[in-house]
Amino acid sequence: KNQVEQSPQSLIILEGKNCTLQCNYTVSPFSNLRWYKQDTGRGPVSLTIMTFSENTKSNGRYTATLDADTKQSSLHITASQLSDSASYICVVDNNAGNMLTFGGGTRLMVKP
Amino acid sequence: EAQVTQNPRYLITVTGKKLTVTCSQNMNHEYMSWYRQDPGLGLRQIYYSMNVEVTDKGDVPEGYKVSRKEKRNFPLILESPSPNQTSLYFCASSQADRGPYEQYFGPGTRLTVT
């Protein structure tokens, strides 16, 4: 069964600190891995999209990494800001047509 | 501005009263889909459409209908809503169903069925 597991479920950090969120997946065949940011009550917004051949992609203070061999991805947030408080969702596309498997998300809270 | 719009944003209704949630995109995207989001379960796909008049079931289609008569619109229909359909619903669109195309989400519709 295709699954995407994220850890931790929730995280509290102080403003200005860095953090790393983890994503493990068992989706096969794999094509793309996406990270989304979702503010409470709003639609997810795309941060990065990586194909199976890419192992890192950045979007400002957000850097995603992908290890297709171990089926792991991480999202690193540098110099966190209060506005980074949100849920971060890892999503994996399989290659067999339109099937996106969503992780449960990591809820990040950045405190002043 | 490129966007996906949904209406209504909030809806409280009673069991059995048919309702429609509209979704529209202005990006000429071929692919559209509907998701529901429930606490602890993440986003789950209800239905998707790869083009006009082409729709297919996602993971949780029971109790829902969709139609795709025009490229820009993809309404979600609940013929006889039940309390277990209380959820936060998102419509999304992208250029195509495969490949690293960005998927754009609407603002969400919070539905409560009593």
Side-chain angles (χ1 to χ4, degrees), chain A:
Chain A
K1 182 182 176 184
N2 290 334
Q3 283 190 311
V4 176
E5 303 279 347
Q6 291 186 244
S7 62
Q9 280 192 317
S10 61
L11 182 62
I12 301 174
I13 62 173
L14 292 176
E15 187 179 11
K17 298 295 187 184
N18 303 335
C19 68
T20 300
L21 314 181
Q22 301 289 346
C23 173
N24 297 338
Y25 62 92
T26 59
V27 177
S28 181
F30 165 84
S31 63
N32 308 301
L33 188 141
R34 307 164 185 260
W35 282 95
Y36 286 91
K37 177 185 179 188
Q38 184 179 22
D39 293 317
T40 302
R42 293 178 164 249
V45 174
S46 179
L47 293 175
T48 63
I49 304 172
M50 288 184 288
T51 66
F52 68 90
S53 60
E54 296 176 294
N55 55 28
T56 187
K57 185 163 272 191
S58 290
N59 177 358
R61 295 180 297 102
Y62 301 100
T63 299
T65 64
L66 172 63
D67 185 335
D69 291 330
T70 61
K71 299 187 177 183
Q72 295 180 323
S73 175
S74 65
L75 180 70
H76 186 74
I77 304 175
T78 304
S80 60
Q81 300 175 358
L82 298 179
S83 60
D84 291 332
S85 295
S87 288
Y88 292 84
I89 304 172
C90 175
V91 185
V92 179
D93 303 16
N94 80 7
N95 204 30
N98 172 49
M99 285 299 293
L100 301 183
T101 303
F102 288 77
T106 292
R107 185 177 293 277
L108 174 67
M109 182 179 295
V110 180
K111 290 194 166 182

Side-chain angles (χ1 to χ4, degrees), chain A residues 34 38 42-43 98 100, chain B residues 31 37 45 48 90 101 103:
Chain A
R34 307 164 185 260
Q38 184 179 22
R42 293 178 164 249
N98 172 49
L100 301 183
Chain B
Y31 172 76
Q37 187 174 35
Q45 190 177 52
Y48 63 93
F90 291 102
Y101 297 109
Q103 184 157 188

